[in-house]
Amino acid sequence: DDDRSDDDRWLPLPEAADVPLVADLVLQGCSPVATRDELVGRIRDRDEDASDATRLALELLRLDPSRCDVVEALGEFGRWVAHGGPELSARARACLCLTLQDRTLRDVVLSRWVPDPFAADQSLLDDEGVAVWEVIPPLPAALGPRETPSVHRLLHLAARVPQEFTPPLLTLAAFLAWHSGDGSVANEAIELTLQRDPTYRLALLLNEVLLRGIPPWAMSAAEVA
């Protein structure tokens, strides 16, 4: 229509780097209050003093591994991620670092928080795996597609452990973000995970899911088995 003014026909577009984050926010019914740089900065934030304290606690635990109770450590971690509360101590973070190196136990945690498509078959778990499954609380129901408090807590924790121990925490955060519909956080967390460990298989799996644009409801346990 030639009667329209230039102002009616043309609208300013956001910077290209901001488009994915803006799109997420618009789909969520939110106003774009953050830039891509702010999002990346928050995910890549580091608390080196806390990380150094965790590393020292790790060295002490390696002298006496019996001081790390796997079920107790994951139960404390699970309750904190699900419901918050006092921040985990350096010793608790150190025990968690060691515990999440066991990928079977990591997957038990994931199955509690993202049961579809990662439902656990308890008949395949050993006694320790069953005990962990029982002490990990499910996450509160999401109020909508957004970065949930649980994702924020996982990213907060990842900033406070040595970088070589961050892949399990970042990948869990990415899966929770993907599951709640926050693709921007999921992509950034997975990108950081693969920078620190390019062979981390669970992160590679989610990266493929994100690249293909597969939503959580389109996946089944059979498809990821």
Side-chain angles (χ1 to χ4, degrees), residues 176-211:
L176 296 189
W178 166 73
H179 196 252
S180 67
D182 197 335
S184 292
V185 170
N187 274 291
E188 293 297 339
I190 283 299
E191 181 179 334
L192 180 56
T193 302
L194 293 175
Q195 285 178 8
R196 293 179 178 171
D197 184 353
T199 66
Y200 200 69
R201 292 184 63 183
L202 190 61
L204 290 168
L205 169 65
L206 182 54
N207 189 54
E208 190 68 20
V209 167
L210 293 167
L211 288 173

Side-chain angles (χ1 to χ4, degrees), residues 5 40 133 148:
S5 69
V40 172
W133 195 91
T148 66

Side-chain angles (χ1 to χ4, degrees), residues 46-141:
R46 294 288 301 162
D47 183 336
E48 296 299 347
D49 288 341
S51 178
D52 289 344
T54 305
R55 189 178 296 280
L56 177 59
L58 273 163
E59 293 174 1
L60 294 174
L61 273 180
R62 288 188 176 111
L63 295 175
D64 183 6
S66 66
R67 296 174 60 207
C68 179
D69 184 304
V70 169
V71 176
E72 179 182 332
L74 287 176
E76 183 180 6
F77 163 67
R79 290 186 294 273
W80 183 77
V81 171
H83 304 297
E87 187 166 332
L88 299 183
S89 67
R91 182 177 178 277
R93 296 194 301 268
C95 191
L96 183 65
C97 285
L98 296 179
T99 301
L100 288 179
Q101 299 307 295
D102 185 323
R103 299 188 179 190
T104 298
L105 296 179
R106 176 210 62 196
D107 290 349
V108 172
V109 175
L110 182 61
S111 73
R112 287 296 276 157
W113 291 342
V114 188
D116 184 14
F118 297 103
D121 184 347
Q122 293 192 57
S123 67
L124 300 179
L125 300 176
D126 59 18
D127 291 344
E128 185 176 65
V130 171
V132 168
W133 195 91
E134 290 175 346
V135 299
I136 296 289
L139 299 182

